Amino acid sequence: MSDLEVCPFDAPLGAEIRGVDISKPLTPSAVETIRTAWHDHLVLLFRDQDMSDAQHFAFTAQFGTLDYPPELLLAIAAGEVRVEDEPMAINVISNVIENGKPIGVLGNGEAFWHSDSTFVEIPPAASLLRSLEVPDSGGDTYFMNMYQALETLPDELRQAIKGKSSKHDAAYSSSGKRRPQFTELDPSKSTGPIHPLERTHPDTGRKSLYLGRRLGSYIVGLPLDESEDLLDRIWDHITEGDFIWAQQWRVGDLVWWDNRCAMHRRDAFDPNVRRTMHRTQLAGDRPY
Ligand code: SIN
């Protein structure tokens, strides 16, 4: 008999998975229970997990194909590196500086609402973030249920986005930093993949709102000012809504989210306190 338990949060999304040591290979039935919980609850929390990066990769690989960290996905998309030459790399998210160099990305600032790496044609299906060092306060991560964001959209906005798609350019990181290789400032003229605003989840068949991030976004076919206005109204709706669950980190937490139907953001924290996370990702799928 397995001790594995799925304990949903009293929140619009999220569940804690208890009674399983994810550093070890899972039974086929545990894989299926966790996969179903992922589809049902969008965000899963595993606490008190003591694992290496190799075990983190091995856990992830039981659910699909591993994907590369954002900067490598961009380099692959730009043809700067070849997939077959690239070893899989852990994505380090950290404010720690060692020998004068950051050991990871994002620093200590806020990360704005986003889905991961939607600036490539096939964005990751999931991200799995594991905490190695955390501050006593600050640095919480928030998750938004994008099924509910769509379902609660006022009729007028739902009609306005019907059949429309948006461009997801890579000009800005989730901390709002501009990537220097992207020089076009007008999002209607920049390059980037086009994704539908309303996307159908390939496993659940449910529709969700798919926005990527606000900065650099553009609704294809509209004059820029109309696109900005419509995007502002959509973002006002979702950020005022109540579709959110917040994770307060402890060392040894692993949080896994569905990147296709949940967005996330992170609070800023004290720059003098260390916060380090390691992240793996599961490759995405088409069609929507
Ligand atoms: C991210 O925005 O992907 C990082 C989340 C975090 O650091 O909590």
Side-chain angles (χ1 to χ4, degrees), residues 24-81:
K24 303 209 164 73
L26 301 170
T27 62
S29 106
V31 168
E32 278 328 298
T33 303
I34 293 170
R35 192 191 300 282
T36 302
W38 170 38
H39 293 150
D40 290 348
H41 302 291
L42 290 64
V43 182
L44 304 179
L45 168 64
F46 302 79
R47 294 220 113 138
D48 304 316
Q49 302 292 330
D50 180 16
M51 63 203 299
S52 63
D53 285 349
Q55 289 165 329
H56 189 164
F57 277 128
F59 171 64
T60 311
Q62 290 169 99
F63 296 90
T65 306
L66 295 169
D67 212 346
Y68 292 96
E71 298 304 326
L72 257 177
L73 281 177
L74 272 177
I76 291 166
E80 290 159 11
V81 295

Side-chain angles (χ1 to χ4, degrees), residues 93 106 111 114 116 129 141 174 249 257 264 266 275 279:
I93 295 173
L106 274 186
H114 65 285
D116 286 325
L129 190 64
T141 309
S174 56
W249 292 94
W257 63 90
H264 60 288
R266 182 193 83 187
R275 181 183 189 274
R279 184 167 72 176

Side-chain angles (χ1 to χ4, degrees), residues 221-238:
L222 295 185
L224 183 58
D225 58 340
E226 284 180 33
S227 164
E228 288 290 302
D229 177 63
L230 184 49
L231 285 169
D232 282 345
R233 285 190 291 142
I234 296 168
W235 279 87
D236 283 349
H237 166 77
I238 64 166

Side-chain angles (χ1 to χ4, degrees), residues 76-244:
I76 291 166
E80 290 159 11
V81 295
R82 297 186 330 154
V83 174
E84 48 277 34
D85 296 339
E86 280 308 316
M88 188 49 65
I90 200 90
N91 186 201
V92 179
I93 295 173
S94 179
N95 64 324
V96 173
I97 313 263
E98 273 173 11
N99 303 321
K101 282 178 96 180
I103 64 164
V105 294
L106 274 186
N108 73 296
E110 179 180 354
F112 304 115
W113 283 115
H114 65 285
S115 303
D116 286 325
S117 300
T118 62
F119 42 71
V120 294
E121 289 292 339
I122 307 184
S127 299
L128 294 85
L129 190 64
R130 176 169 60 96
S131 53
L132 281 74
E133 37 188 5
V134 297
D136 287 338
S137 65
D140 296 351
T141 309
Y142 300 74
F143 296 90
M144 188 187 285
N145 183 329
M146 299 309 287
Y147 293 132
Q148 291 184 7
L150 178 71
E151 286 155 8
T152 57
L153 213 54
D155 279 352
E156 171 243 341
L157 283 181
R158 187 98 193 234
Q159 283 308 318
I161 65 165
K162 217 166 193 52
K164 291 205 170 50
S165 296
S166 68
K167 191 193 298 169
H168 294 228
D169 88 9
Y172 296 93
S173 76
S174 56
S175 58
K177 216 163 117 193
R178 216 178 152 86
R179 292 188 170 93
Q181 70 270 40
F182 295 93
T183 49
E184 177 56 68
L185 295 176
D186 178 345
S188 69
K189 300 203 180 100
S190 63
T191 51
I194 309 294
H195 300 297
L197 282 163
E198 203 180 290
R199 76 171 277 186
T200 304
H201 195 290
D203 298 310
T204 66
R206 292 181 66 189
K207 283 183 189 304
S208 69
L209 198 54
Y210 195 56
L211 299 174
R213 62 199 63 197
R214 179 64 186 90
L215 276 173
S217 183
Y218 165 69
I219 301 181
V220 177
L222 295 185
L224 183 58
D225 58 340
E226 284 180 33
S227 164
E228 288 290 302
D229 177 63
L230 184 49
L231 285 169
D232 282 345
R233 285 190 291 142
I234 296 168
W235 279 87
D236 283 349
H237 166 77
I238 64 166
T239 48
E240 283 160 14
D242 183 20
F243 332 114
I244 294 168

